[in-house]
Amino acid sequence: MQENSNQQFEEKLKRVIETIDVANVLTVPLTDSINNILEVSSASINSEEASVLIRDGDNGDLRFLCAIGQVADQLIGLKVPAGKGIAGFVFSSGQPMTISDAVQEESFYDEVDKQTGFSTQMILATPLQYEGNIIGVLEYVNRVGEPPYEPFTPEEMDNAAIYAEAIASLVNAYESAKIFQELGDKMLTSNELLTHTELRDWLQNLRDTNDHKEMIDLAVLVRELALRGNVERKLCKEILESILNYSDNNTDIKYSSL
């Protein structure tokens, strides 16, 4: 009995590790892309710091997902309670907002500055919207250089909204990919090993867009094939590479004919 229990635990741990690996493969390129947009957009807006906050749970709390600037590493993972601060207002209202003097703004949430040691002087915040839903907030803080700073302009607010649209798509994909991390937690806490069918059923019940459901469902299928053995892994890889080559060739033909 003990031997069977150990084998089951080892099998569960193996599957959890594989699930986490898949989650990392899917999420890391997305956060890297978000950071790249933050770099480009903050330079165009002449802002010193930029960050992306996403919803954290069902109560309206926000969490820093990505950030660039002096205290970027300290920001990642910090939470802003529901309705607090400029980000909380923008998230709940769906309206962009700028402030030129954070200290004098009653709704300013200074706990983040207290935890990071940063001094927020001014903010431009705009909502991240995907398919009509607010899924986060894009923020730009301060200008490059020394205060006093010039206020953010209406044109810069419009530009921020354009960047927010691109970032929102990446955030939505990131949240979809995080399903695998939730799956890892479920597998760790479950008393029984989840079968391939159970995995697919669990994924089908999640709230998400169809395209990302299909993306993750495909990843589960590839993972299941990879568990079958070396021959199956090699065959799966060859088939996927053939599909990509076919797609690339057709794309080249399509654009050359335009």
Side-chain angles (χ1 to χ4, degrees):
M1 291 290 292
Q2 182 64 37
E3 184 177 351
N4 290 337
S5 178
N6 289 339
Q7 288 177 347
Q8 284 192 340
F9 176 77
E10 289 175 3
E11 180 65 20
K12 177 182 290 189
L13 187 59
K14 178 182 176 183
R15 292 203 173 194
V16 169
I17 291 172
E18 290 165 351
T19 300
I20 292 172
D21 286 344
V22 171
N24 288 335
V25 167
L26 291 173
T27 58
V28 170
L30 294 170
T31 53
D32 286 346
S33 295
I34 293 172
N35 280 327
N36 289 338
I37 295 177
L38 291 180
E39 293 280 0
V40 172
S41 61
S42 62
S44 71
I45 293 175
N46 194 32
S47 174
E48 183 180 30
E49 309 269 331
S51 59
V52 169
L53 298 93
I54 62 173
R55 58 190 171 194
D56 188 72
D58 298 326
N59 297 322
D61 295 344
L62 295 172
R63 172 175 58 85
F64 284 91
L65 173 65
C66 295
I68 62 167
Q70 297 177 19
V71 294
D73 291 343
Q74 298 178 62
L75 287 175
I76 306 303
L78 286 184
K79 295 183 180 181
V80 175
K84 295 291 185 179
I86 307 305
F89 170 80
V90 171
F91 182 74
S92 60
S93 69
Q95 298 298 316
M97 182 177 181
T98 64
I99 59 171
S100 299
D101 190 348
V103 177
Q104 299 300 319
E105 179 64 38
E106 185 177 347
S107 60
F108 176 63
Y109 181 71
D110 63 358
E111 284 300 315
V112 174
D113 277 3
K114 289 179 181 178
Q115 292 188 53
T116 62
F118 188 75
S119 178
T120 299
Q121 304 291 318
M122 55 190 298
I123 299 174
L124 188 167
T126 194
L128 300 176
Q129 300 188 54
Y130 188 83
E131 295 188 343
N133 297 315
I134 309 296
I135 61 174
V137 177
L138 169 62
E139 280 194 341
Y140 298 96
V141 176
N142 295 357
R143 295 286 195 181
V144 176
E146 298 296 327
Y149 300 121
E150 290 291 326
F152 288 112
T153 66
E155 182 181 2
E156 287 171 333
M157 290 188 70
D158 291 341
N159 289 339
I162 294 173
Y163 291 118
E165 185 176 348
I167 290 175
S169 295
L170 293 170
V171 168
N172 182 70
Y174 171 87
E175 291 187 329
S176 298
K178 276 197 67 181
I179 289 172
F180 274 106
Q181 293 176 340
E182 296 176 23
L183 183 58
D185 291 339
K186 183 176 177 68
M187 293 169 69
L188 277 175
T189 56
S190 174
N191 291 326
E192 302 293 336
L193 289 175
L194 296 179
T195 66
H196 176 225
T197 301
E198 289 171 330
L199 290 179
R200 290 171 60 87
D201 290 344
W202 186 77
L203 288 171
Q204 282 298 113
N205 290 327
L206 290 170
R207 178 183 58 81
D208 214 320
T209 55
N210 288 331
D211 54 344
H212 289 107
K213 277 185 180 178
E214 290 171 358
M215 175 189 72
I216 294 172
D217 200 25
L218 178 61
V220 171
L221 288 172
V222 172
R223 173 183 174 277
E224 185 67 20
L225 277 171
L227 292 174
R228 300 295 174 90
N230 291 333
V231 175
E232 287 81 357
R233 279 195 294 272
K234 183 178 179 181
L235 179 61
C236 181
K237 182 180 179 181
E238 290 175 353
I239 291 173
L240 291 176
E241 287 176 345
S242 297
I243 293 173
L244 287 174
N245 288 335
Y246 173 80
S247 178
D248 289 342
N249 290 336
N250 275 1
T251 300
D252 291 341
I253 293 173
K254 179 179 70 175
Y255 282 110
S256 64
S257 63
L258 292 178

